Amino acid sequence: MFARTTPWPLVALFTAGYLAPYLLPTTVGRLESGLPISATQAGAIGSALLLSSAAAGFLLASRVDRIGPRTLARAGLLLAVLGYGGAALTAHVPAVVAGAVAGGFGSGTVTAVAATGIAAQRDPHRTTTLGLLGVSALAGAVYLTVPHLGPGHAQPLAAIALTALAVWPLTARLSPRTAPALPRTAAGSRLPHLRSGLLLAAAMPCWSAAQNSLWGVSGRIGLTQAHLSEVTVGVVFAVALGAGLLGVVGAGALGPRLGQALPIGLGTVLIAGCIALSASATDLTTFASGEIAWNLLYPVVLSYVIGLAAALDPRGRWAVLVGSASSLGTAVGPMTGSLLSARAGFPAMGTVLAVGLLAVAVPLTAVALRRRTTTVTTTHPALTDETVRLDVAA
């Protein structure tokens, strides 16, 4: 499906597709401060953006092969440029909402192409970690830059649009052709490892919702509860995303040595503690500690979850579906965080989210434990001296 090149086009598409969720705190905060809307309404716009991204993934999970990676990636990037760019250029609230929703659909389209291509790689986890490195580094740079560019809602939205525009030339290295129709066989038409895939897809919205409920209001926690300036909060976020870079590098270096169950299960438990700590912060030390530790762990666990989903189906359908299910949780995160914090306060919100994460760690770990990889060597004439990986779910 993808041209025989290095995976850099996939890494770039992954970065462009995931940048909007990574910039969620500053995007929501800037919408609230730059437009005549409330914090809850700003969170709702963020949720609409991410929900549109999830919808694109669900619609396109099985269509990337047929439409063609290059065509679909370019359509998604164009929609992102026009949607986010249009939203950045206007202060008319309905137009901002429409642009955010259109841009979100573009982000989801780009992510679907990236996820499908990554699943077809020999080492999906390695390519995923490269993508997470890219988006973490870029988001960190934006967090350092935006506070110095003046007030208003345009800057983070423009950053996403410009990233999509910059990635466009790399789509030339994707295959322009659609894949031939696959026969209706068990391998070609049915999703493999159905039970494990469904359990993973069902757990991921809850996992992502807890993460992004905090991420969507982290800026407000720093500004209103910890009494920090926007510049200080931006520096904390940039350092936290830098810690995320270290975490992703560590995950890439470890690879499959620890398996998947331990990083996913234990990592989720530790993230729950970080969320509770960050949500209760009343000073710079506590706020920075919680945010930095959380951002160190979050991309590590996410990389293993994405790798697990990719391993369930080499055609990438589970990777796209699980990613889209995760986006559903991401979509309701800003609204959930805004409502919980408005009604119960930030510390209580953190406690609720932490308990929810502890509960969802159980099915995620169960899927990772079920999956085992058996390596066999075949002497089939067409595959002489090739090692074939068989992914078996219990």
Side-chain angles (χ1 to χ4, degrees):
M1 182 183 69
F2 287 87
R4 287 191 175 185
T5 63
T6 63
W8 292 115
L10 302 179
V11 172
L13 290 174
F14 186 100
T15 300
Y18 269 86
L19 185 59
Y22 266 68
L23 294 182
L24 193 62
T26 190
T27 301
V28 171
R30 287 284 178 134
L31 288 171
E32 178 190 358
S33 62
L35 299 174
I37 58 177
S38 66
T40 301
Q41 290 171 326
I45 295 175
S47 292
L49 184 161
L50 298 172
L51 185 61
S52 179
S53 180
F58 282 119
L59 288 173
L60 300 171
S62 61
R63 293 178 170 84
V64 176
D65 289 336
R66 284 179 285 175
I67 298 174
R70 183 188 296 178
T71 300
L72 201 55
R74 287 181 171 178
L77 291 172
L78 178 62
L79 197 54
V81 170
L82 295 178
Y84 294 124
L89 293 174
T90 181
H92 185 52
V93 175
V96 172
V97 174
V101 171
F105 198 91
S107 291
T109 301
V110 171
T111 302
V113 177
T116 303
I118 288 172
Q121 296 293 304
R122 178 172 297 180
D123 188 354
H125 183 261
R126 176 180 175 275
T127 308
T128 299
T129 57
L130 289 174
L132 288 171
L133 280 171
V135 71
S136 296
L138 181 57
V142 173
Y143 277 114
L144 286 175
T145 304
V146 163
H148 301 286
L149 298 179
H153 71 286
Q155 291 87 341
L157 293 170
I160 306 171
L162 290 174
T163 299
L165 188 62
V167 168
W168 179 282
L170 291 176
T171 60
R173 298 171 66 179
L174 301 176
S175 171
R177 300 182 301 274
T178 57
L182 293 171
R184 290 187 173 273
T185 62
S189 62
R190 292 188 304 187
L191 283 168
H193 311 317
L194 186 61
R195 184 172 57 181
S196 294
L198 287 176
L199 187 57
L200 190 61
M204 280 308 292
C206 303
W207 189 86
S208 294
Q211 312 285 339
N212 287 279
S213 292
L214 175 70
W215 192 232
V217 299
S218 286
R220 287 164 52 201
I221 293 173
L223 293 172
T224 63
Q225 183 171 277
H227 307 294
L228 306 175
S229 68
E230 184 184 15
V231 172
T232 303
V233 171
V235 171
V236 170
F237 286 157
V239 173
L241 289 169
L245 292 176
L246 295 177
V248 173
V249 169
L254 282 174
R257 291 183 181 87
L258 297 178
Q260 291 170 316
L262 181 62
I264 291 173
L266 180 60
T268 298
V269 171
L270 293 175
I271 287 173
C274 295
I275 287 178
L277 177 64
S278 184
S280 64
T282 56
D283 55 44
L284 174 58
T285 301
T286 307
F287 179 73
S289 298
E291 292 290 328
I292 292 171
W294 173 53
N295 277 276
L296 175 68
L297 294 166
Y298 168 76
V300 174
V301 179
L302 181 61
S303 70
Y304 279 98
V305 171
I306 294 175
L308 175 60
L312 293 177
D313 177 22
R315 288 183 60 193
R317 290 169 294 177
W318 277 127
V320 177
L321 289 172
V322 170
S324 299
S326 176
S327 295
L328 284 179
T330 302
V332 302
M335 179 64 72
T336 302
S338 296
L339 291 175
L340 282 175
S341 60
R343 296 184 180 182
F346 293 121
M349 177 203 72
T351 300
V352 172
L353 296 178
V355 171
L357 269 181
L358 292 176
V360 82
V362 177
L364 288 176
T365 306
V367 173
L369 287 172
R370 280 181 180 176
R371 182 188 170 274
R372 64 184 183 273
T373 303
T374 304
T375 303
V376 299
T377 302
T378 178
T379 56
H380 189 281
L383 298 173
T384 304
D385 298 326
E386 292 287 337
T387 298
V388 180
R389 287 165 51 98
L390 298 178
D391 294 325
V392 182

